[in-house]
Amino acid sequence: MMYPSMRRTAAAGAAVLLAGSAALLAASPAGAEDAPAGAPAAPAAAPAAPKGKVVARLPLSIREQPTSTSTFLGALKPGTVVELSCKKHGQKVEGNDLWYLLATKPGYVAARYVQNLSPVPACNK
């Protein structure tokens, strides 16, 4: 027969053991027990590409260079969410000289008609 004080002590001890094992599980990376000792760690997932939403009322032209006179490569429908590679200065479009280089297809779109949904880095070139 267990006395109430012994039950409380046993319950407290079990809680400490459970909390300690949860802390150990949280501290070890997922799949760490599967990797052999000394093996290189798996690379971290690449961050998601920045995205933007086309806010033009008409289809938005995709251009070869960041100018409206550059070769037409296609168009994006209003409301389309696209992945963006980077931003670059080019011809001003209604006061905005930024253009976004698309990540999934070649070409630039005028930033004036794209609402960026996450920060977009500057192009290196």
Side-chain angles (χ1 to χ4, degrees):
M1 172 181 208
M2 284 184 100
Y3 294 104
S5 62
M6 289 175 72
R7 272 191 247 147
R8 279 192 296 258
T9 303
V16 168
L17 284 174
L18 286 174
S21 62
L24 284 174
L25 285 173
S28 65
E33 63 279 352
D34 298 335
K51 293 186 181 185
K53 181 178 180 182
V54 176
V55 293
R57 285 185 267 151
L58 300 171
L60 178 61
S61 295
I62 301 170
R63 300 291 181 168
E64 186 175 35
Q65 297 296 320
T67 69
S68 62
T69 57
S70 180
T71 304
F72 175 81
L73 300 177
L76 298 171
K77 293 180 182 177
T80 302
V81 175
V82 293
E83 289 186 4
L84 306 170
S85 178
C86 59
K87 61 186 172 185
K88 183 176 186 177
H89 293 281
Q91 176 190 7
K92 279 189 179 182
V93 176
E94 293 190 24
N96 187 341
D97 72 343
L98 288 179
W99 289 70
Y100 293 130
L101 178 62
L102 299 174
T104 57
K105 54 176 75 179
Y108 291 86
V109 290
R112 169 63 182 89
Y113 298 110
V114 178
Q115 174 189 6
N116 57 334
L117 302 176
S118 52
V120 181
C123 296
N124 292 333
K125 27 181 171 163

Coordinates of all heavy atoms in Angstrom, one line a residue, residues 9-109:
T9 N 5.6 11.8 -4.3 CA 7.0 11.7 -4.6 C 7.2 11.0 -5.9 O 8.0 11.4 -6.7 CB 7.8 11.1 -3.4 OG1 7.5 11.8 -2.2 CG2 9.2 11.0 -3.6
A10 N 6.5 9.8 -6.0 CA 6.7 9.0 -7.2 C 6.2 9.8 -8.4 O 6.9 9.8 -9.5 CB 5.9 7.7 -7.1
A11 N 5.1 10.5 -8.3 CA 4.6 11.3 -9.4 C 5.5 12.4 -9.8 O 5.8 12.7 -11.0 CB 3.2 11.9 -9.1
A12 N 6.1 13.1 -8.8 CA 7.0 14.2 -9.1 C 8.3 13.6 -9.8 O 8.8 14.2 -10.7 CB 7.4 14.9 -7.8
G13 N 8.8 12.5 -9.3 CA 10.0 11.8 -9.9 C 9.7 11.5 -11.4 O 10.5 11.7 -12.3
A14 N 8.5 10.9 -11.7 CA 8.1 10.6 -13.0 C 8.1 11.8 -13.9 O 8.5 11.8 -15.1 CB 6.8 9.8 -13.1
A15 N 7.5 12.9 -13.4 CA 7.4 14.2 -14.1 C 8.8 14.7 -14.5 O 9.1 15.2 -15.6 CB 6.6 15.2 -13.3
V16 N 9.8 14.6 -13.5 CA 11.1 15.1 -13.8 C 11.8 14.2 -14.8 O 12.4 14.7 -15.8 CB 12.0 15.0 -12.5 CG1 13.4 15.2 -12.7 CG2 11.5 16.1 -11.5
L17 N 11.6 12.9 -14.8 CA 12.1 12.0 -15.8 C 11.6 12.3 -17.2 O 12.3 12.4 -18.2 CB 11.9 10.6 -15.5 CG 12.7 10.0 -14.4 CD1 12.3 8.6 -14.0 CD2 14.2 9.9 -14.8
L18 N 10.2 12.6 -17.3 CA 9.6 12.9 -18.6 C 10.1 14.2 -19.1 O 10.4 14.4 -20.3 CB 8.1 12.9 -18.4 CG 7.4 11.5 -18.3 CD1 6.0 11.7 -18.0 CD2 7.6 10.7 -19.6
A19 N 10.2 15.2 -18.2 CA 10.7 16.5 -18.6 C 12.1 16.4 -19.1 O 12.5 17.0 -20.1 CB 10.6 17.5 -17.5
G20 N 12.9 15.7 -18.4 CA 14.3 15.5 -18.8 C 14.5 14.8 -20.2 O 15.3 15.2 -21.0
S21 N 13.7 13.8 -20.4 CA 13.8 13.1 -21.7 C 13.3 14.0 -22.8 O 13.8 13.9 -23.9 CB 13.0 11.8 -21.6 OG 11.7 12.0 -21.4
A22 N 12.2 14.8 -22.6 CA 11.7 15.7 -23.6 C 12.8 16.7 -23.9 O 13.0 17.1 -25.1 CB 10.4 16.4 -23.1
A23 N 13.5 17.2 -22.9 CA 14.6 18.2 -23.2 C 15.7 17.5 -24.0 O 16.2 18.2 -25.0 CB 15.1 18.7 -21.9
L24 N 16.0 16.3 -23.8 CA 17.0 15.6 -24.6 C 16.6 15.4 -26.0 O 17.3 15.6 -27.0 CB 17.4 14.2 -24.0 CG 18.3 14.3 -22.7 CD1 18.4 12.9 -22.1 CD2 19.6 14.8 -23.0
L25 N 15.3 15.0 -26.2 CA 14.8 14.9 -27.5 C 14.8 16.2 -28.3 O 15.1 16.2 -29.5 CB 13.4 14.3 -27.5 CG 13.3 12.8 -27.2 CD1 11.8 12.4 -27.0 CD2 13.9 12.0 -28.2
A26 N 14.4 17.3 -27.6 CA 14.4 18.6 -28.3 C 15.8 19.0 -28.6 O 16.0 19.7 -29.6 CB 13.7 19.6 -27.4
A27 N 16.8 18.7 -27.8 CA 18.1 19.1 -28.1 C 18.8 18.4 -29.2 O 19.7 18.9 -29.9 CB 19.0 19.0 -26.8
S28 N 18.4 17.1 -29.5 CA 19.1 16.4 -30.5 C 18.4 16.6 -31.8 O 17.2 16.6 -31.9 CB 19.1 14.9 -30.2 OG 17.8 14.4 -30.2
P29 N 19.1 16.9 -32.9 CA 18.5 17.1 -34.2 C 17.8 15.9 -34.7 O 18.2 14.7 -34.5 CB 19.6 17.5 -35.1 CG 20.9 17.1 -34.5 CD 20.6 17.0 -33.0
A30 N 16.7 16.1 -35.5 CA 16.0 15.0 -36.0 C 16.9 14.1 -36.9 O 17.6 14.6 -37.7 CB 14.8 15.5 -36.8
G31 N 16.8 12.8 -36.8 CA 17.6 11.9 -37.6 C 19.0 11.8 -37.1 O 19.8 11.1 -37.8
A32 N 19.4 12.4 -36.0 CA 20.8 12.4 -35.6 C 21.2 10.9 -35.2 O 22.3 10.6 -35.4 CB 21.0 13.3 -34.4
E33 N 20.2 10.2 -34.7 CA 20.6 8.8 -34.3 C 20.8 7.9 -35.5 O 21.4 6.9 -35.3 CB 19.5 8.2 -33.4 CG 18.1 8.1 -34.0 CD 17.3 9.3 -34.1 OE1 17.7 10.3 -33.4 OE2 16.2 9.3 -34.7
D34 N 20.4 8.3 -36.7 CA 20.5 7.5 -37.9 C 21.9 7.7 -38.5 O 22.4 6.9 -39.3 CB 19.5 7.8 -38.9 CG 18.1 7.5 -38.4 OD1 18.0 6.6 -37.5 OD2 17.1 8.1 -38.8
A35 N 22.5 8.9 -38.3 CA 23.8 9.2 -38.9 C 24.9 8.6 -38.2 O 25.0 8.6 -37.0 CB 24.0 10.7 -38.9
P36 N 25.9 8.0 -38.9 CA 27.1 7.4 -38.3 C 27.9 8.5 -37.6 O 27.9 9.6 -38.1 CB 27.8 6.7 -39.4 CG 27.2 7.2 -40.7 CD 25.9 7.8 -40.3
A37 N 28.7 8.1 -36.6 CA 29.5 9.1 -35.9 C 30.5 9.7 -36.9 O 31.1 8.9 -37.7 CB 30.2 8.4 -34.8
G38 N 30.8 11.0 -36.9 CA 31.7 11.6 -37.8 C 31.2 11.9 -39.1 O 31.9 12.5 -39.9
A39 N 30.0 11.5 -39.4 CA 29.4 11.8 -40.8 C 29.0 13.3 -40.8 O 28.6 13.9 -39.8 CB 28.2 11.0 -41.0
P40 N 29.2 13.9 -42.0 CA 28.8 15.4 -42.1 C 27.3 15.5 -41.9 O 26.5 14.7 -42.3 CB 29.2 15.7 -43.5 CG 29.4 14.5 -44.3 CD 29.7 13.4 -43.3
A41 N 27.0 16.6 -41.3 CA 25.6 16.9 -41.1 C 24.9 17.2 -42.4 O 25.5 17.7 -43.3 CB 25.4 18.1 -40.1
A42 N 23.6 16.9 -42.5 CA 22.8 17.2 -43.7 C 22.7 18.7 -43.8 O 22.6 19.4 -42.9 CB 21.4 16.6 -43.5
P43 N 22.8 19.2 -45.1 CA 22.7 20.6 -45.3 C 21.3 21.1 -44.9 O 20.3 20.4 -45.1 CB 22.9 20.8 -46.8 CG 22.7 19.4 -47.4 CD 22.9 18.4 -46.3
A44 N 21.3 22.4 -44.4 CA 20.0 23.0 -44.1 C 19.2 23.3 -45.3 O 19.8 23.5 -46.4 CB 20.2 24.3 -43.3
A45 N 17.9 23.3 -45.2 CA 17.1 23.6 -46.4 C 17.3 25.0 -46.8 O 17.5 25.9 -46.0 CB 15.6 23.4 -46.0
A46 N 17.3 25.3 -48.1 CA 17.6 26.6 -48.7 C 16.3 27.5 -48.3 O 15.2 27.0 -48.3 CB 17.7 26.5 -50.2
P47 N 16.6 28.7 -48.0 CA 15.4 29.6 -47.7 C 14.5 29.8 -48.9 O 15.0 29.7 -50.1 CB 16.1 30.9 -47.3 CG 17.5 30.9 -47.9 CD 17.8 29.4 -48.0
A48 N 13.3 29.9 -48.7 CA 12.3 30.1 -49.8 C 12.6 31.3 -50.6 O 13.0 32.3 -50.0 CB 10.9 30.1 -49.2
A49 N 12.4 31.3 -51.9 CA 12.6 32.5 -52.7 C 11.6 33.5 -52.4 O 10.4 33.2 -52.0 CB 12.5 32.1 -54.2
P50 N 12.0 34.8 -52.4 CA 11.0 35.9 -52.2 C 9.9 35.8 -53.2 O 10.1 35.3 -54.3 CB 11.8 37.2 -52.4 CG 13.2 36.8 -52.6 CD 13.3 35.3 -52.8
K51 N 8.7 36.2 -52.8 CA 7.5 36.1 -53.7 C 6.9 37.5 -53.8 O 7.0 38.4 -53.0 CB 6.5 35.1 -53.1 CG 7.1 33.7 -53.2 CD 6.0 32.7 -52.8 CE 6.7 31.4 -52.9 NZ 5.9 30.3 -52.6
G52 N 6.2 37.7 -54.9 CA 5.4 38.9 -55.2 C 4.1 38.6 -55.8 O 4.0 37.5 -56.5
K53 N 3.1 39.5 -55.7 CA 1.8 39.3 -56.3 C 1.6 40.4 -57.3 O 1.8 41.6 -57.0 CB 0.8 39.3 -55.2 CG -0.7 39.1 -55.7 CD -1.6 39.2 -54.5 CE -3.1 39.0 -55.1 NZ -4.0 39.0 -54.0
V54 N 1.2 40.0 -58.5 CA 0.9 40.9 -59.6 C -0.4 41.7 -59.2 O -1.4 41.1 -59.0 CB 0.7 40.2 -60.9 CG1 0.3 41.2 -62.0 CG2 2.0 39.4 -61.3
V55 N -0.2 43.0 -59.1 CA -1.3 43.9 -58.7 C -1.8 44.8 -59.9 O -2.6 45.7 -59.7 CB -1.0 44.8 -57.5 CG1 -0.8 43.9 -56.3 CG2 0.2 45.6 -57.7
A56 N -1.3 44.5 -61.1 CA -1.7 45.3 -62.3 C -3.1 44.8 -62.6 O -3.6 43.7 -62.3 CB -0.8 44.9 -63.4
R57 N -3.9 45.7 -63.3 CA -5.3 45.4 -63.7 C -5.3 44.6 -64.9 O -6.2 43.9 -65.2 CB -6.1 46.7 -63.8 CG -6.5 47.2 -62.5 CD -7.4 48.4 -62.6 NE -6.6 49.6 -62.6 CZ -6.9 50.7 -63.3 NH1 -8.0 50.8 -63.9 NH2 -6.1 51.7 -63.3
L58 N -4.2 44.7 -65.8 CA -4.1 44.0 -67.0 C -2.9 43.0 -66.9 O -2.1 43.2 -66.0 CB -3.9 45.0 -68.2 CG -5.0 46.0 -68.4 CD1 -4.5 47.1 -69.4 CD2 -6.3 45.4 -68.8
P59 N -2.8 42.1 -67.8 CA -1.6 41.2 -67.7 C -0.3 42.0 -67.7 O -0.1 43.0 -68.4 CB -1.7 40.4 -69.0 CG -3.2 40.3 -69.3 CD -3.7 41.7 -68.9
L60 N 0.6 41.6 -66.9 CA 1.9 42.3 -66.7 C 3.0 41.7 -67.6 O 3.2 40.5 -67.6 CB 2.4 42.2 -65.2 CG 3.7 42.8 -64.8 CD1 3.7 44.3 -65.1 CD2 4.0 42.6 -63.4
S61 N 3.6 42.6 -68.4 CA 4.6 42.2 -69.4 C 5.9 41.7 -68.7 O 6.3 42.4 -67.7 CB 4.9 43.3 -70.3 OG 3.8 43.6 -71.1
I62 N 6.4 40.6 -69.2 CA 7.7 40.1 -68.8 C 8.7 40.6 -69.9 O 8.5 40.3 -71.0 CB 7.8 38.6 -68.6 CG1 6.7 38.1 -67.6 CG2 9.2 38.1 -68.2 CD1 6.5 36.6 -67.6
R63 N 9.8 41.3 -69.5 CA 10.7 41.8 -70.4 C 12.1 41.2 -70.3 O 12.5 40.8 -69.2 CB 10.8 43.4 -70.2 CG 9.5 44.1 -70.4 CD 9.1 44.1 -71.9 NE 7.9 44.8 -72.1 CZ 7.4 45.1 -73.3 NH1 8.1 44.8 -74.4 NH2 6.3 45.8 -73.4
E64 N 12.8 41.2 -71.3 CA 14.2 40.6 -71.3 C 15.1 41.4 -70.5 O 16.0 40.9 -69.8 CB 14.7 40.5 -72.8 CG 16.0 39.8 -72.9 CD 16.5 39.7 -74.3 OE1 16.2 40.6 -75.1 OE2 17.1 38.6 -74.6
Q65 N 15.0 42.7 -70.5 CA 15.8 43.7 -69.7 C 14.9 44.6 -68.8 O 13.7 44.6 -69.1 CB 16.7 44.5 -70.6 CG 17.7 43.8 -71.4 CD 18.7 43.1 -70.5 OE1 19.2 43.6 -69.5 NE2 19.1 41.8 -70.9
P66 N 15.4 45.3 -67.8 CA 14.5 46.1 -67.0 C 14.1 47.4 -67.7 O 14.3 48.5 -67.2 CB 15.3 46.3 -65.7 CG 16.7 46.2 -66.2 CD 16.7 45.2 -67.3
T67 N 13.5 47.3 -68.9 CA 12.9 48.5 -69.6 C 11.7 48.0 -70.3 O 11.5 46.9 -70.7 CB 13.9 49.0 -70.7 OG1 14.0 48.1 -71.7 CG2 15.3 49.4 -70.1
S68 N 10.8 49.0 -70.5 CA 9.5 48.6 -71.2 C 9.7 48.5 -72.7 O 8.8 47.9 -73.4 CB 8.4 49.7 -70.9 OG 8.9 50.9 -71.4
T69 N 10.8 48.9 -73.2 CA 11.1 48.8 -74.7 C 11.9 47.5 -75.0 O 12.1 47.2 -76.2 CB 11.9 50.0 -75.2 OG1 13.1 50.1 -74.5 CG2 11.0 51.2 -75.1
S70 N 12.3 46.7 -74.0 CA 13.0 45.5 -74.2 C 12.1 44.4 -74.8 O 10.9 44.5 -74.8 CB 13.6 45.1 -72.8 OG 14.3 43.9 -72.9
T71 N 12.7 43.4 -75.3 CA 12.0 42.3 -75.9 C 10.9 41.7 -74.9 O 11.2 41.4 -73.8 CB 12.9 41.1 -76.3 OG1 13.9 41.7 -77.2 CG2 12.2 40.0 -77.0
F72 N 9.7 41.5 -75.4 CA 8.6 41.0 -74.7 C 8.7 39.5 -74.6 O 8.9 38.8 -75.6 CB 7.2 41.3 -75.4 CG 6.0 40.7 -74.8 CD1 5.4 41.3 -73.7 CD2 5.5 39.6 -75.4 CE1 4.3 40.7 -73.1 CE2 4.3 39.0 -74.8 CZ 3.7 39.6 -73.7
L73 N 8.7 38.9 -73.4 CA 8.9 37.5 -73.2 C 7.6 36.7 -72.8 O 7.6 35.5 -72.8 CB 10.0 37.2 -72.2 CG 11.4 37.7 -72.5 CD1 12.3 37.5 -71.3 CD2 11.9 37.2 -73.7
G74 N 6.6 37.5 -72.5 CA 5.4 36.8 -72.0 C 4.6 37.8 -71.0 O 5.0 39.0 -70.9
A75 N 3.6 37.3 -70.3 CA 2.9 38.1 -69.4 C 2.4 37.3 -68.2 O 2.3 36.1 -68.3 CB 1.7 38.7 -70.1
L76 N 2.1 38.0 -67.1 CA 1.6 37.4 -65.9 C 0.2 37.9 -65.7 O 0.0 39.2 -65.8 CB 2.5 37.6 -64.7 CG 3.9 37.1 -64.8 CD1 4.7 37.7 -63.7 CD2 3.9 35.6 -64.8
K77 N -0.8 37.1 -65.4 CA -2.1 37.5 -65.1 C -2.2 38.2 -63.8 O -1.5 37.9 -62.8 CB -3.1 36.3 -65.0 CG -3.2 35.6 -66.3 CD -4.2 34.4 -66.2 CE -4.3 33.6 -67.5 NZ -5.1 32.4 -67.4
P78 N -3.1 39.2 -63.6 CA -3.3 39.9 -62.4 C -3.7 38.9 -61.3 O -4.4 37.9 -61.5 CB -4.5 40.8 -62.6 CG -4.5 41.0 -64.1 CD -4.0 39.7 -64.7
G79 N -3.1 39.1 -60.1 CA -3.3 38.2 -59.0 C -2.3 37.0 -58.9 O -2.3 36.3 -57.9
T80 N -1.5 36.8 -59.9 CA -0.5 35.7 -59.9 C 0.5 36.0 -58.9 O 1.1 37.1 -58.7 CB 0.1 35.6 -61.3 OG1 -0.9 35.4 -62.3 CG2 1.2 34.5 -61.3
V81 N 0.9 34.9 -58.1 CA 2.0 35.0 -57.1 C 3.2 34.4 -57.8 O 3.1 33.2 -58.3 CB 1.6 34.3 -55.8 CG1 2.8 34.3 -54.9 CG2 0.5 35.0 -55.1
V82 N 4.3 35.1 -57.9 CA 5.5 34.6 -58.6 C 6.7 34.7 -57.6 O 6.8 35.5 -56.7 CB 5.8 35.5 -59.8 CG1 4.8 35.3 -60.9 CG2 6.0 36.9 -59.5
E83 N 7.7 33.8 -57.9 CA 8.9 33.8 -57.2 C 9.9 34.8 -57.8 O 10.0 34.9 -59.0 CB 9.6 32.4 -57.2 CG 8.8 31.4 -56.3 CD 9.6 30.1 -56.2 OE1 10.7 30.0 -56.7 OE2 9.0 29.2 -55.6
L84 N 10.5 35.6 -57.0 CA 11.4 36.7 -57.4 C 12.8 36.4 -57.1 O 13.1 35.9 -56.0 CB 11.0 38.0 -56.8 CG 9.5 38.4 -57.0 CD1 9.2 39.6 -56.1 CD2 9.2 38.7 -58.4
S85 N 13.7 36.6 -58.0 CA 15.1 36.3 -57.7 C 15.8 37.5 -57.0 O 16.4 37.4 -56.0 CB 15.8 36.0 -59.0 OG 17.2 35.8 -58.8
C86 N 15.7 38.7 -57.6 CA 16.3 39.9 -57.1 C 15.7 41.1 -57.7 O 14.9 41.0 -58.6 CB 17.8 39.9 -57.3 SG 18.3 39.7 -59.0
K87 N 16.1 42.3 -57.2 CA 15.6 43.6 -57.8 C 16.7 44.4 -58.3 O 17.9 44.3 -57.9 CB 14.8 44.4 -56.7 CG 15.7 44.8 -55.5 CD 14.9 45.5 -54.4 CE 15.7 45.7 -53.2 NZ 14.9 46.2 -52.1
K88 N 16.4 45.2 -59.4 CA 17.4 45.9 -60.1 C 16.8 47.2 -60.6 O 15.6 47.3 -60.9 CB 17.9 45.1 -61.3 CG 19.0 45.7 -62.1 CD 19.4 44.7 -63.2 CE 20.6 45.3 -64.0 NZ 21.0 44.3 -65.0
H89 N 17.6 48.3 -60.6 CA 17.2 49.6 -61.1 C 17.2 49.5 -62.6 O 18.0 49.0 -63.2 CB 18.1 50.7 -60.6 CG 18.0 50.9 -59.1 ND1 17.0 51.6 -58.5 CD2 18.9 50.5 -58.1 CE1 17.2 51.6 -57.2 NE2 18.3 51.0 -57.0
G90 N 16.1 50.2 -63.2 CA 16.0 50.2 -64.6 C 15.2 51.4 -65.0 O 15.2 52.5 -64.3
Q91 N 14.4 51.3 -66.1 CA 13.5 52.4 -66.5 C 12.5 52.7 -65.5 O 11.9 51.8 -64.9 CB 12.9 52.0 -67.9 CG 11.9 53.0 -68.4 CD 11.1 52.5 -69.6 OE1 11.2 51.3 -69.9 NE2 10.3 53.4 -70.2
K92 N 12.2 54.0 -65.3 CA 11.1 54.3 -64.4 C 9.7 54.0 -65.0 O 9.5 54.3 -66.1 CB 11.1 55.8 -64.0 CG 12.2 56.2 -63.0 CD 12.0 57.6 -62.6 CE 13.0 58.0 -61.5 NZ 12.8 59.3 -61.0
V93 N 8.9 53.4 -64.2 CA 7.5 53.1 -64.5 C 6.6 53.7 -63.5 O 6.6 53.3 -62.3 CB 7.3 51.6 -64.6 CG1 5.8 51.3 -64.9 CG2 8.2 50.9 -65.6
E94 N 6.0 54.8 -63.9 CA 5.1 55.6 -63.0 C 5.9 56.0 -61.7 O 5.4 55.8 -60.6 CB 3.8 54.8 -62.7 CG 2.9 54.7 -63.9 CD 1.5 54.2 -63.5 OE1 1.1 54.3 -62.4 OE2 0.9 53.6 -64.5
G95 N 7.1 56.5 -61.9 CA 7.9 56.9 -60.8 C 8.7 55.9 -60.0 O 9.5 56.2 -59.1
N96 N 8.6 54.6 -60.4 CA 9.3 53.6 -59.7 C 10.3 52.9 -60.7 O 9.9 52.4 -61.7 CB 8.4 52.5 -59.2 CG 9.0 51.4 -58.4 OD1 10.2 51.2 -58.4 ND2 8.2 50.7 -57.6
D97 N 11.6 53.0 -60.3 CA 12.6 52.5 -61.3 C 13.1 51.0 -60.9 O 14.1 50.5 -61.5 CB 13.8 53.4 -61.4 CG 14.7 53.4 -60.1 OD1 14.3 52.9 -59.1 OD2 15.9 53.9 -60.2
L98 N 12.4 50.4 -60.0 CA 12.8 49.0 -59.6 C 12.1 48.0 -60.5 O 10.9 48.1 -60.9 CB 12.5 48.7 -58.2 CG 13.4 49.4 -57.1 CD1 12.9 49.0 -55.7 CD2 14.8 49.0 -57.3
W99 N 12.9 47.0 -60.9 CA 12.3 45.8 -61.6 C 12.7 44.6 -60.9 O 13.8 44.5 -60.3 CB 12.9 45.8 -63.0 CG 12.4 46.9 -63.9 CD1 12.7 48.3 -63.8 CD2 11.5 46.8 -65.0 NE1 12.0 49.0 -64.8 CE2 11.3 48.1 -65.5 CE3 10.9 45.7 -65.6 CZ2 10.5 48.3 -66.7 CZ3 10.1 45.9 -66.8 CH2 9.9 47.2 -67.2
Y100 N 11.9 43.5 -61.0 CA 12.2 42.3 -60.3 C 12.6 41.2 -61.4 O 11.9 41.1 -62.4 CB 11.0 41.7 -59.6 CG 10.6 42.5 -58.3 CD1 9.3 42.9 -58.2 CD2 11.5 42.9 -57.4 CE1 8.9 43.7 -57.0 CE2 11.2 43.6 -56.3 CZ 9.9 44.0 -56.1 OH 9.5 44.8 -55.0
L101 N 13.7 40.5 -61.2 CA 14.1 39.4 -62.0 C 13.3 38.2 -61.5 O 13.3 37.9 -60.3 CB 15.6 39.2 -61.9 CG 16.1 38.0 -62.7 CD1 15.9 38.2 -64.2 CD2 17.6 37.9 -62.4
L102 N 12.6 37.5 -62.4 CA 11.8 36.4 -62.0 C 12.8 35.2 -61.7 O 13.8 35.0 -62.3 CB 10.9 36.0 -63.1 CG 9.8 37.1 -63.5 CD1 9.0 36.7 -64.7 CD2 8.9 37.4 -62.3
A103 N 12.4 34.4 -60.7 CA 13.2 33.2 -60.3 C 12.9 32.0 -61.1 O 13.8 31.2 -61.3 CB 13.0 32.9 -58.8
T104 N 11.7 31.8 -61.6 CA 11.3 30.5 -62.3 C 11.3 30.6 -63.8 O 11.1 29.6 -64.4 CB 10.0 30.1 -61.7 OG1 9.0 31.1 -62.0 CG2 10.0 29.7 -60.3
K105 N 11.4 31.8 -64.3 CA 11.5 31.9 -65.8 C 12.3 33.2 -66.1 O 12.5 34.0 -65.3 CB 10.1 32.0 -66.4 CG 9.2 33.1 -65.8 CD 7.8 33.3 -66.5 CE 6.9 32.1 -66.1 NZ 5.6 32.2 -66.7
P106 N 12.8 33.2 -67.3 CA 13.7 34.4 -67.6 C 12.8 35.7 -67.8 O 11.7 35.6 -68.2 CB 14.3 34.0 -69.0 CG 13.5 33.0 -69.5 CD 12.8 32.3 -68.4
G107 N 13.4 36.8 -67.4 CA 12.8 38.1 -67.6 C 12.5 38.9 -66.3 O 12.7 38.4 -65.2
Y108 N 12.2 40.2 -66.6 CA 12.0 41.1 -65.5 C 10.5 41.6 -65.6 O 9.9 41.7 -66.7 CB 12.9 42.4 -65.7 CG 14.3 42.1 -65.5 CD1 15.2 41.6 -66.5 CD2 14.9 42.4 -64.3 CE1 16.5 41.4 -66.3 CE2 16.3 42.2 -64.1 CZ 17.1 41.7 -65.1 OH 18.4 41.5 -64.9
V109 N 10.0 42.0 -64.4 CA 8.7 42.7 -64.4 C 8.9 44.0 -63.6 O 9.7 44.1 -62.7 CB 7.6 41.8 -63.7 CG1 7.3 40.6 -64.6 CG2 8.1 41.3 -62.4

